Amino acid sequence: MVATEISPARRSRPPLSLPPGAWRLALPLVVLAVLFAVLIAIHPRGLAVASMTPWANQAVTLAFVAVGQFFVVVTRGLDLSIGAVLALSNALASELVSGTPVEIAVGVVAVLAVGCLCGAINGAAVVFGRIQPIVATLATGAIYTGLALIVRPTPGGDVDEALSDMLTYETFGFFPTSLILLFAVVYLVWWPLSRTVLGRSLYAIGSNESAAFMSGLNPKRARLLAHVLAGFFAACGGLFLAFQTLSGDASVGFSYTLNSIAAVVIGGASLAGGVGTVIGVIAGAYLLRTISTIMIFTGLPPMAQPLFEGLVLLAAVSVGAIEMITSRNKLKVLR
Amino acid sequence: MPSPDDRAALAGRDRGLLSDVEFVALSGISKSYGGTTALESVDLRIRRASIHAILGENGAGKSTLIKVLTGVVRPDAGTVTIEGAAFAVRSPATAAAAGIACVFQELSLVPDLSVADNIFLARGTGPLGFIDRRRQQKAAEALLRELGSEVRPTDIVRSLTLSEAQLVEIAKAMAKRPRLLILDEATSALGEQQVGRLFEILRRLRSEGVSILYITHRMHEVDTLCDTCSVFRNGRHVETFPQGERSPDAVVELMLGRSVSQIYPAKPAPAAGQPLLDVRDLSWDGRIDKVSFVVRPGEIYGIGGLDGHGQQETLLALFGVLRNVTGEVRFDGRSVHIGSPGRAKGRALGIALVPEDRKSEGLHLPLTIAHNLTLSVLNRLTRFGVINGGRQRRLVDDLMRRLQIKSSSPKAPVSSLSGGNQQKVVLAKWLACDPRLILLCDPTRGIDVGTKAEIYALLRRLADEGAAIVLHTTDYDELIGLCDRVGIFYGGTILRELTGDALNERNILRASFALATDGPTDSGGH
Ligand SMILES: Nc1ncnc2c1ncn2[C@@H]1O[C@H](COP(=O)(O)OP(=O)(O)OP(=O)(O)O)[C@@H](O)[C@H]1O
Ligand SMILES: [Mg+2]
């Protein structure tokens, strides 16, 4: 047949509308900005160095852990051991990160290496043991907690104070160093990775694993990488927590596991995999922590805090349904 | 990719020389899934600079053969050689490295990533294998434009229609610049214009020395495009011959092991009487614009035109899937509001929709065939909420026989069926509800000639029994052969209605491009 050169009517799309799914990133950022404004308004010191640095420091640990959790979630997994890895790293840091500068450096590297190793063990159990991520990490999490208790049966230990001061105060006298640290680590690790095929395959296997495989990607390698990244970022969190508290505590883990999942969801990632951004997840962690701070200043009883956090989480999950409500074609959302 | 020497040699000389060179050879390939034998000691030679058709009925093993060649499944036995050397196809990645690229029947796109990310999914476009977004974007754009696709590289694949996704999948395979390009029913959702463009590209690739394996159930595509045909039946390679050496009927007989005397059933005299469906000025979201037509009981009404001019949306609107539809729909003389698929399906209306994309809209892949078939009629198989097992079995057996669903057992999961057999399950599922109005979106997509003929006969029988049928298809042959009247869509509305002698290929094409048609026509609607 002859194909006449008349192109069919171009599908019209408003040029300035948000690309589909952009609200997933925009929403946590906007809500965080609003909450931040509220916090400044009710904070006795207002917008000042003395209020900003504690605010920034307080959420860094959770932000690290949440970023780690995100890499597993985006591959359609879940890491229930992430809090235990944080606790183990925290306990190890209280043993290793002190003494001469060389000893400190070796200690930091060792803690990060143990975190990566924990992640690699999780990944191996999932990929080669063919165990569901939730089940595998539930089991390994118990093991890591046990190890942390052996390292540090009771809270305590010793962490280098000079380094701690450096990381938990301000740079140039006003900017929280912890924020710089957080973004520097994330940028150094994820920015190059997100520009490689391996980094992209994290999203791809979470979105549709068999399609990713048929396209020539290696799902095993990607899944292993996701768990190693989770271990690494959990160890970063454990280290920072040690700098903050100048000690180690083997029992801090559990709340971090749950809060990291909450932060990932609030940050716009989907537990069904394939969707989400690191920036959104960091915003999600800060959002959660900002709520608790606000509640302390408004004088709400601390007992009510889990209730409010739960409500925020529920709201975040419901937002996922917005797509379904606003879609004009009910079938589209099923794809 | 052919080396520069090859290209130079090809530029001046006839490709006849190169097309004698064998590129890939399969020998003794066998593969079975549990009890089902999908391939049985298959030998096949694929020459360079050739477009080689693989023909066979649904479940003959064509897709399995492709999956072996691309490393998606490992054969139980047999070897693959590329250019004379044994080659272990361990994974899709090794196949890609050897220059084999494939457009998969069930598509291999990742829904949450952009079109450009999908096209270059496993390859970085920048230095050191890094992803260079700008270059990737440009290259994707160029490929899509060459294929005549309107999608943008930044679009998320999840938001694409099936035909758009199919073109992206083709672009993705072409981006690898393969030496062997495999297309497994790659045109099943494409319109004629898009297919025409693709054929030009495939012929050009052939002249550059690329081998092409082309799988289709559309026999006219084989006639216009291919130079070699291989026929498969029940997992065996039956015969290979140069295209044109056998008559179409003989080819069909080789495929099915029997002959099909008549593909399309005879058309009855034009239906008279009250319309069952009377659509007036249906509009939605700027994509359907004042569509009006009537369908009487006993009629098969065809919907044609170029892809994306409002055909699918019209069917979805009639099934209550779209929100904020304006205009009037009269059903059996009464004005009705079809608010949801539930209401459309309900007893008062009795409308069935066979959707376009079986994977997401028509089937529950992990469930068994029996479950899928009875899901929409469960209420008729139950008494006091308990399913009557005997009745369910009889219904399932009856449906599987009527549509010739090829499977080891009704308890097999639908995901284990070949593509065409999955499509039959979708059809059977809706026919089980005894609908009064049947809306069909490309119902024979991926179905073999023999079963096509049976589905046509079945649709005609349903119409004769009093059902009204609206059929949207991208295959103009089907519009001409099966339908009583055909509405050609253009720009969201029915521009021409064709019946009788005016219903021919030339007029369908002309109307699709909004050109004047010859013969008696009725310009849309009443
Ligand atoms: N994953 C699987 N599990 C079990 N059986 C399978 C699986 N994949 C394919 N089969 C069976 O293998 C046979 C060949 O299937 P295949 O998909 O190769 O057919 P096909 O020739 O491509 O058919 P179609 O034209 O319908 O696409 C069929 O009987 C099918 O049921
Ligand atoms: Mg197939």
Side-chain angles (χ1 to χ4, degrees), chain B residues 379-394:
Chain B
N379 53 344
R380 288 201 279 126
L381 296 172
T382 52
R383 174 169 275 184
F384 310 122
V386 180
I387 298 176
N388 180 329
R391 249 158 78 189
Q392 171 169 357
R393 247 188 324 276
R394 274 196 300 282

Side-chain angles (χ1 to χ4, degrees), chain B residues 62-63 105 184-185 418-419:
Chain B
K62 305 179 295 296
S63 295
Q105 185 177 13
D184 191 354
E185 295 185 34
S418 76

Side-chain angles (χ1 to χ4, degrees), chain A residues 13 195 200 215 328 335, chain B residues 117 120 131 155 158 172:
Chain A
R13 224 172 302 164
R195 268 143 195 80
R200 181 163 62 191
S215 309
R328 304 245 267 161
R335 294 231 170 124
Chain B
D117 274 336
F120 294 99
I131 296 166
D155 286 344
R158 192 181 286 283
K172 180 179 165 184

Side-chain angles (χ1 to χ4, degrees), chain A residues 1-11 13 20 192-197 200 203-208 210-217 273-275 324-335, chain B residues 71-72 92-93 104 107-113 117 120-124 130-131 133 136 150 152 155 158-161 164 172 192-193 197 284-285 309 316 320-324 339-340 360-361 509 513:
Chain A
M1 64 158 276
V2 221
T4 324
E5 283 296 323
I6 302 177
S7 76
R10 194 174 261 278
R11 289 187 308 159
R13 224 172 302 164
L193 196 57
S194 69
R195 268 143 195 80
T196 63
V197 170
R200 181 163 62 191
Y203 283 86
I205 65 168
S207 183
N208 183 341
S210 66
F213 172 66
M214 291 204 292
S215 309
L217 295 180
V275 197
M324 181 139 33
I325 298 163
T326 53
S327 163
R328 304 245 267 161
N329 176 344
K330 295 176 210 162
L331 285 181
K332 271 274 151 67
V333 297
L334 298 179
R335 294 231 170 124
Chain B
V72 175
F104 289 98
L107 302 188
S108 65
L109 299 179
V110 172
D112 293 307
L113 292 182
D117 274 336
F120 294 99
L121 191 61
R123 281 172 320 130
F130 275 87
I131 296 166
R133 289 199 186 277
Q136 171 179 293
E150 300 272 319
R152 297 185 292 198
D155 286 344
R158 192 181 286 283
S159 68
L160 303 184
T161 66
E164 288 170 339
K172 180 179 165 184
E192 290 300 323
Q193 188 200 25
R197 250 182 209 265
W284 177 73
D285 196 27
H309 280 255
L316 293 178
V321 176
L322 306 182
R323 277 173 224 271
N324 307 329
S340 70
S360 60
E361 294 163 15
L509 271 173
F513 290 105

